[in-house]
Amino acid sequence: MDNDLIKTLIDALEASSLTELEYSKGGATLRLVKWTGALPTHPAAAAPAVKRTEPAAPWRPFSTVNAPVFGVVHLQRSPGAPPLVTTGEAVSAGQVLCMIEAMKIFTELRAEGDGTVAAVLVQSGQEVEAGQALFRMERSR
Amino acid sequence: MIDTVLIANRGEIALRIQRACRGLGLRTVAVYSEADADAAYVRQADTALCIGPAPAARSYLDQAAILFAAQTSGAGAIHPGYGFLAENAAFAERVERAGLVFVGPSAACIRAMGDKVAAKRAMRRAGVPCVPGPDEPLPADPAALRAVADGIGYPVIVKAAGGGGGRGMRVVEDPARLLDTLALTQEEARGAFGSAAVYIEKFLAHPRHVEIQVIADRHGHALWLGSRDCSLQRRNQKVIEEAPAHGIPDADVAALGERCAEACRQIGYSGAGTFEFLYDAGAFHFIEMNTRIQVEHPVTEETTGIDIVQLQLRVARGEALPLTQDQVACRGHALECRINAEDPDSFAPSPGRIDDWAVPGGFGVRVDTHAGPGYRVPPYYDSMVAKLIVRGSDRADAVERMRLALSEMRVGGIRTNLPLHRALLDDPGVRKGGVDIHYLQRWLARRAA
């Protein structure tokens, strides 16, 4: 079970309404449990998340950036240009993350707050539905 | 003899051309991108060929793919519609060289009219009134440039020779800013149109947009089919169009129309075309010629009773025009509202699935559309989903019919500019008619305040 597969499973769980996901392959079993309250502070670890009783603080370090409209996502400003952001990159509030093209109009999507790009969930040039998750962001405290 | 026509376009105009072909007993070939694979008009064509993925650059603008589709399907002619390759001289040339008929004028005519300075020169020769300003390349010497602008009188407008459709232009009010503005416009023109050539004209502050529809055959005959007013525009995109242009003396329009037909004969034009003018203080000023069918052609069809797209096809296959100028008349008044998939307030695009759809009908009402319930408006192309056209005995009658038709029309699942059209048809200025090309922008600014 490689890291890419585990990341894919995490993203699949994240994007769904499921709260648990169990995956077995070659004798190994991975169980992912979605945290509905607070999340552990180091969730990038590939190990299965464990249910814990957490303090009341409703801190949610993860959020997704979603497409505002049905369109085509562009992760760079022009073909051949470097991507606007990459996984693991620190971003500040207002920074442009990507552009959505719909009917010849390009709309810039900006980071709501300071944080880190935890995952890029789409490929450049891909068609995306309104509301589809494009990035998973980890917010700075 | 042409018996099969390839339609190199999509959306409502592809369907419009398909209907015209069927009316003439011609077989149709639809070419489509992957994004349009499920469109009803694609299924209804005699032959349908996928020419590439969704982005237009890789499908509707792919000349080689379209030519290959024409050869594969046995099409003898290609109708380009509007937009995409409709005014691409190189494409028209390739079609001709492949031994096929391009439904439109010759490549030479398209090229001449695409160069706005050359077009202006040709129009002056034919006696078509132009905006004051030279029709020669500008001098390089700063003093000579200033003399040109002084001769025209400020304010002047600097335009890219390769531009059009409202792009690549700048107004100069202050003579001190002339040279800077020229340099800036040249730089932008180089980037946007591949040529730094610019020209200078008198800037008209409050003109109307009035245009003349023409049709010419390959035997030297040309007719003008009446006037249209397309002054209601937002960012140079027409929103509501009408025929005829309201409140302009018939004799003035007829004199202008005859000059346009004469220009067609002089430049050897064939097919449908439109001469666009700014109308200011009782005078017409030529701005450009569109060498294709236009979005707003139905208002002229409704007032003349002439199927312009069928006529295009007939002259393309070599027929002489079947009527003479004295048989062309304008009866009543027609309006067209462009229904776009966009937010009626912010104008943000709104592609997606249409889940509720009711179109108006009845006497004097026409809806040209490729959409319907369940149709998914793709995000790749322009936002127009329908054209709502009405005809009345006079302008007031047409306005009332349009209000009723708009009240009947319902589109759900996506946002459309229907509320904007309803509000505009209630506006006293729009109802009275004859507003200038900046009216809608002012109206929107007032609404936003």
Side-chain angles (χ1 to χ4, degrees), chain B residues 101-367:
Chain B
V101 173
F102 180 78
V103 182
S106 66
C109 272
I110 298 174
R111 194 166 283 129
M113 294 301 113
D115 177 339
K116 302 304 163 196
V117 179
K120 194 170 175 180
R121 207 160 42 233
M123 291 309 131
R124 282 228 169 106
R125 265 204 303 275
V128 173
C130 293
V131 184
D135 52 21
E136 296 294 329
L138 289 174
D141 171 48
L145 273 171
R146 282 199 206 93
V148 168
D150 288 344
I152 296 168
Y154 286 87
V156 298
I157 185 162
V158 182
K159 294 180 174 181
R167 299 191 309 140
M169 50 175 74
R170 268 213 169 70
V171 178
V172 186
E173 311 247 8
D174 175 4
R177 306 277 330 264
L178 177 70
L179 296 178
D180 287 352
T181 307
L182 266 170
L184 193 62
T185 312
Q186 279 166 338
E187 231 9 82
E188 282 180 356
R190 196 195 311 278
F193 311 113
S195 156
V198 299
Y199 62 108
I200 304 182
E201 284 183 343
K202 175 82 186 157
F203 175 67
L204 304 168
H206 299 291
R208 288 166 63 183
H209 175 113
V210 174
E211 55 188 37
I212 300 287
Q213 173 75 53
V214 294
I215 182 95
D217 65 21
R218 300 183 177 204
H219 306 278
H221 307 122
L223 302 172
W224 63 277
L225 303 182
S227 64
R228 292 189 287 257
D229 184 315
C230 315
S231 299
L232 278 171
Q233 305 181 1
R234 178 182 168 270
R235 297 190 178 169
N236 293 306
Q237 292 295 311
K238 295 164 183 171
V239 176
I240 298 178
E241 301 104 333
E242 58 187 276
H246 181 62
I248 300 177
D250 288 348
D252 293 1
V253 172
L256 182 70
E258 192 36 59
R259 301 308 328 161
C260 295
E262 180 53 29
C264 288
R265 289 174 210 123
Q266 278 192 18
I267 63 175
Y269 193 84
S270 70
T274 298
F275 290 77
E276 296 194 332
F277 296 90
L278 294 177
Y279 180 72
D280 191 51
F284 295 98
H285 307 280
F286 173 78
I287 38 176
E288 63 186 53
M289 180 181 193
N290 296 313
T291 55
R292 51 166 162 82
I293 191 75
Q294 285 194 276
V295 173
E296 62 270 26
H297 74 274
V299 291
T300 301
E301 294 185 324
E302 293 302 316
T303 46
T304 58
I306 294 169
D307 185 325
I308 298 172
V309 183
Q310 275 201 5
L311 262 194
Q312 275 190 298
L313 291 158
R314 291 175 65 178
V315 300
R317 66 182 184 190
E319 285 181 42
L321 284 169
L323 70 172
T324 52
Q325 192 65 56
D326 56 2
Q327 292 171 297
V328 179
C330 175
R331 278 187 204 86
H333 199 97
L335 296 173
E336 173 181 280
C337 289
R338 297 191 186 190
I339 312 301
N340 297 335
E342 65 189 13
D343 186 286
D345 298 315
S346 71
F347 297 98
S350 180
R353 190 175 180 277
I354 295 174
D355 58 23
D356 184 29
W357 178 261
V359 291
F363 182 75
V365 178
R366 163 178 171 183
V367 182

Side-chain angles (χ1 to χ4, degrees), chain B residues 8-30:
Chain B
N9 215 298
R10 63 171 304 280
E12 71 85 19
I13 195 65
L15 177 58
R16 171 73 189 86
I17 297 164
Q18 196 179 90
R19 284 178 169 142
C21 288
R22 263 197 231 115
L24 293 170
L26 295 164
R27 294 180 69 254
T28 56
V29 179

